Amino acid sequence: MHSRTLLITGGAGFIGSHVLRLFVNKYPQYRIINLDALTYAGNLENLRDLEQAPNYAFVKADIRDAAAMAKIFAEHLPDGVIHLAAESHVDRSISNPMAFVETNVTGTVNLLNAAREAWKGKFEGKRFYHVSTDEVYGSLHDGGFFLETTPYDPQSPYSASKAASDHFVRAYGNTYGLPFVVSNCSNNYGSHQFPEKLIPLMIHNLREGKPLPVYGKGENVRDWLWVEDHARAIDLIFHQGVNGETYNIGGHNEWKNIDLVHLLCSIMDRKLGRASGTSAKQITFVTDRAGHDLRYAIDAGKIGRELGWKPGITFEAGLERTVDWYLANDPWLQAVTSGAYRDYYAAQYGKQG
Ligand code: NAD
Ligand code: TYD
């Protein structure tokens, strides 16, 4: 008999697979359902080690399908939702914004409606946890950090769609009393990240001897967090966070893109036995991303003070582990970079990258 049922959406993706691994192993007493549509970014290979776990089940479904969401809630009666399913890549949101409206906004509202209907005002012991991004706060140009109270100022179709979904979650809390928590996290890195995002894309291209496409001058700054530290924060917030609250999560770890790419080059020189400076020759500056946010940086003081969370490993150690994982899992990388990935890559980088 399970003590509770959790519905985790987007569990076949990058962060979702780490959250599932943590929860399935740590909470054998819970029944944990992974709801995922298996888009290009979702891969059940990411969860191979959990398939046989008695407390784990996978349901293939699309959050854009309201009827399917209602049916899944009626069938499985989850008392907690951790919502990660989303279209997550800024560059794709620039070429196809509607997909982001449909999944991130409509899909989230479909889930909110299904929870509201299934819980029918009996909210005791229920929780809807919405996983969001620091990008909703916009771009920092003059120093400072994003706080939970920083006004929303999204600048890309991706961040606008995430901001809209955050607003809907809070509106359902205010209007219907739905118990919710929201977290806004900085850039994650680690194993199983789809190689359209900066770090795995660079590792893949370094290995293949292909150009390393740095947007603009590489001056943009991101605050990088080890994905397993994010999963630990999600666990803490889900279990100990206060209803109606927002928690910012970040790595206290700001890097200019160009410095990060140089660090990756030096790690790869060492790992691949290349002479120092060889990999850096692959760096290629390409046309900047439209509307490229200059800097993101999180003040993670609240989650530290209130829930005792802090990042667990240094960036150098995390990057080392990340590179090792990609080098040891070449079949995974080859599988996800075949077929549709090639079309995406050609459309995104053309002859530049
Ligand atoms: P991802 O793109 O790797 O995975 C997304 C998952 O959602 C995939 O498994 C995909 O199949 C699934 N999905 C997409 N559309 C769906 C739909 N319509 N119905 C059901 N499932 C669908 O994303 P990620 O990087 O793991 O991000 C997960 C969440 O965390 C997102 O909500 C994202 O906004 C947020 N986030 C990501 C980062 C980051 O650095 N990656 C940082 C902060 C917040
Ligand atoms: P990304 O991983 O797409 O995350 P986000 O845009 O959500 O922060 O990109 C991280 C940074 O790296 C961002 O400033 C854009 C830059 N970038 C490149 O310079 N080249 C690339 O090929 C990619 C994918 C990103």
Side-chain angles (χ1 to χ4, degrees):
M1 192 53 198
H2 294 109
S3 61
R4 64 184 306 184
T5 300
L6 299 191
L7 183 69
I8 299 185
T9 72
F14 165 49
I15 301 171
S17 64
H18 287 277
V19 171
L20 270 170
R21 185 160 296 105
L22 176 68
F23 274 68
V24 168
N25 290 322
K26 187 170 173 188
Y27 301 107
Q29 71 276 28
Y30 294 178
R31 194 159 65 96
I32 299 173
I33 294 155
N34 170 20
L35 186 166
D36 199 297
L38 301 182
T39 68
Y40 78 93
N43 187 349
L44 288 179
E45 281 297 321
N46 298 351
L47 299 163
R48 183 74 74 202
D49 54 318
L50 303 181
E51 266 169 14
Q52 302 305 322
N55 60 337
Y56 170 73
F58 171 67
V59 176
K60 185 171 187 299
D62 192 320
I63 61 170
R64 294 172 299 179
D65 182 346
M69 293 309 104
K71 193 159 167 274
I72 288 164
F73 269 78
E75 202 173 309
H76 296 282
L77 302 171
D79 51 25
V81 176
I82 304 180
H83 175 36
L84 296 113
E87 288 290 341
S88 69
H89 189 41
V90 174
D91 293 321
R92 288 183 192 255
S93 83
I94 294 169
S95 48
N96 183 14
M98 265 331 271
F100 287 69
V101 175
E102 288 164 7
T103 284
N104 298 358
V105 187
T106 308
T108 299
V109 178
N110 284 339
L111 277 173
L112 288 166
N113 284 335
R116 189 180 151 228
E117 177 58 29
W119 295 341
K120 290 194 172 60
K122 293 193 183 113
F123 291 140
E124 185 73 29
K126 310 289 197 301
R127 173 156 278 187
F128 191 105
Y129 181 170
H130 179 60
V131 175
S132 193
T133 168
D134 61 352
E135 304 190 25
V136 299
Y137 298 121
S139 180
L140 291 164
H141 288 266
D142 308 312
F145 295 90
F146 297 135
L147 285 159
E148 288 79 359
T149 49
T150 301
Y152 275 31
D153 187 21
Q155 299 292 319
S156 74
Y158 164 64
S159 54
S161 69
K162 290 297 290 187
S165 65
D166 295 10
H167 289 321
F168 269 103
V169 173
R170 295 194 180 101
Y172 271 57
N174 179 60
T175 309
Y176 308 113
L178 191 89
F180 74 89
V181 279
V182 175
S183 61
N184 297 84
C185 187
S186 65
N187 289 61
N188 284 214
Y189 73 98
S191 72
H192 301 90
Q193 186 170 30
F194 194 79
E196 64 188 355
K197 305 278 168 59
L198 180 71
I199 290 178
L201 186 138
M202 293 297 167
I203 295 172
H204 179 54
N205 287 11
L206 274 161
R207 177 112 190 250
E208 304 267 302
K210 286 171 49 181
L212 309 177
V214 174
Y215 296 163
K217 297 195 173 90
E219 295 287 314
N220 306 68
V221 173
R222 297 293 183 264
D223 171 1
W224 294 94
L225 179 68
W226 175 240
V227 63
E228 293 178 30
D229 285 335
H230 188 190
R232 264 196 311 112
I234 289 174
D235 179 18
L236 271 177
I237 293 167
F238 181 72
H239 288 100
Q240 293 172 38
V242 174
N243 273 338
E245 289 291 319
T246 296
Y247 299 87
N248 280 356
I249 311 167
H252 312 295
N253 179 40
E254 291 182 52
W255 284 78
K256 269 187 192 170
N257 291 339
I258 188 64
D259 296 338
L260 168 47
V261 172
H262 274 291
L263 176 58
L264 275 173
C265 288
S266 64
I267 294 176
M268 289 297 271
D269 279 346
R270 182 158 43 77
K271 301 267 179 205
L272 299 178
R274 295 175 177 170
S276 170
T278 308
S279 296
K281 293 191 184 123
Q282 291 171 235
I283 293 173
T284 313
F285 293 95
V286 301
T287 309
D288 208 353
R289 173 185 280 172
H292 197 172
D293 287 341
L294 180 64
R295 172 174 168 255
Y296 304 142
I298 282 273
D299 181 330
K302 176 176 170 179
I303 185 173
R305 279 188 309 276
E306 297 186 9
L307 303 180
W309 176 90
K310 60 176 186 338
I313 68 171
T314 65
F315 192 46
E316 286 73 8
L319 262 193
E320 194 81 27
R321 281 202 219 173
T322 304
V323 169
D324 285 343
W325 186 85
Y326 281 95
L327 293 181
N329 288 277
D330 196 45
W332 183 94
L333 203 50
Q334 294 308 332
V336 301
T337 53
S338 60
Y341 179 84
R342 295 210 181 123
D343 300 337
Y344 164 77
Y345 201 89
Q348 175 65 22
Y349 297 97
K351 291 198 174 65
Q352 299 187 90

